Amino acid sequence: MIKHNIRIFAFTIIGLAFFIYAIIFLITQNLESIDFQKALSHISTTISINIFIWMIFISWAWKWKIFYSWLVQTPDLSGKWKGKINSNWNDGKGKSIPTEIIIKQDFFHISVKIKTKESVSHSISSNFNIDKDGGTQQLFYSYLNTPNAGIRERSAIHYGSTLLSFEGFKVSKMTGEYWTSRETTGEIELKREKPKRKK
């Protein structure tokens, strides 16, 4: 679970509203002769501007480092990750499996897609376990794995869960382990792939 500081969120929302209202008031009012009717009309304008700012925050501004970690507890993990899986299947005699993970994330949700040579998995549910006091930063998700049709005789469709650990705000690598309904487990190592520069 994420330990959000609800008090800080409340103070930030209220403080931003008062700040916006004060700016509008000072710009539009003659302090020697205050128009109270106009002052009341500023409330609806303030609310509209406040909603617009929070929509920008929820869409992408939450990723800015300035908000971490006093307001935002979760770093931005979205993007492409590549790495390998080491499984205990066949008594761990198999080779490491190259894997690619694509993470999509906004302020409220995170989804994970996992691709290997033989299968594709999609997260069913996902959540963060962030506890700064305890030094814990983890992503946990459950998924449905669908192997390629040609190999389902030896690899059936199954469910699984994964726990990935990371550190800090600018995350470049994650490590963890997974468990499946086929009673297999394994370890995962991932590195963030840098976006390719457009020519």
Side-chain angles (χ1 to χ4, degrees):
M1 295 295 291
I2 305 171
K3 293 184 177 180
H4 287 299
N5 193 326
I6 304 301
R7 182 179 295 179
I8 290 179
F9 267 103
F11 282 144
T12 303
I13 292 171
I14 295 171
L16 180 61
F18 274 110
F19 177 76
I20 293 171
Y21 182 85
I23 295 296
I24 296 173
F25 186 88
L26 292 173
I27 292 174
T28 59
Q29 289 281 359
N30 180 356
L31 298 181
E32 295 179 357
S33 179
I34 296 175
D35 185 339
F36 290 100
Q37 187 172 354
K38 183 185 289 186
L40 288 173
S41 69
H42 296 334
I43 295 175
S44 60
T45 305
T46 299
I47 293 173
S48 298
I49 295 174
N50 215 31
I51 291 173
F52 178 73
I53 291 174
W54 281 103
M55 286 177 64
I56 293 174
F57 173 81
I58 290 170
S59 297
W60 51 270
W62 66 271
K63 301 177 183 181
W64 296 352
K65 189 175 182 179
I66 191 174
F67 297 119
Y68 187 84
S69 59
W70 65 275
L71 186 63
V72 177
Q73 301 295 316
T74 56
D76 177 23
L77 301 181
S78 59
K80 184 181 290 187
W81 298 73
K82 287 190 175 182
K84 60 182 181 179
I85 297 173
N86 294 307
S87 173
N88 72 343
W89 183 80
N90 195 24
D91 296 325
K93 295 177 182 178
K95 296 181 180 179
S96 295
I97 303 170
T99 187
E100 176 182 292
I101 290 182
I102 298 173
I103 297 178
K104 294 183 178 180
Q105 182 184 356
D106 60 28
F107 184 67
F108 293 110
H109 305 98
I110 183 167
S111 63
V112 185
K113 180 180 179 181
I114 308 99
K115 296 170 64 178
T116 68
K117 186 178 180 180
E118 295 189 343
S119 68
V120 175
S121 302
H122 293 273
S123 60
I124 301 169
S125 63
S126 53
N127 205 348
F128 284 96
N129 178 27
I130 306 289
D131 183 0
K132 294 295 180 61
D133 296 332
T136 301
Q137 289 180 278
Q138 297 173 323
L139 170 64
F140 176 81
Y141 61 89
S142 299
Y143 62 87
L144 174 64
N145 177 271
T146 307
N148 298 339
I151 65 167
R152 288 184 193 167
E153 288 186 1
R154 62 176 174 83
S155 182
I157 296 174
H158 60 278
Y159 292 93
S161 297
T162 301
L163 182 66
L164 296 172
S165 298
F166 53 87
E167 293 182 1
F169 172 76
K170 195 173 182 180
V171 182
S172 59
K173 63 180 181 178
M174 296 189 286
T175 58
E177 53 188 309
Y178 71 92
W179 312 263
T180 75
S181 56
R182 299 187 301 181
E183 298 185 354
T184 56
T185 63
E187 298 177 347
I188 302 177
E189 297 178 14
L190 297 169
K191 288 186 178 180
R192 189 193 291 267
E193 191 173 69
K194 294 181 179 179
K196 294 181 180 179
R197 294 182 178 179
K198 294 182 180 180
K199 295 183 179 180

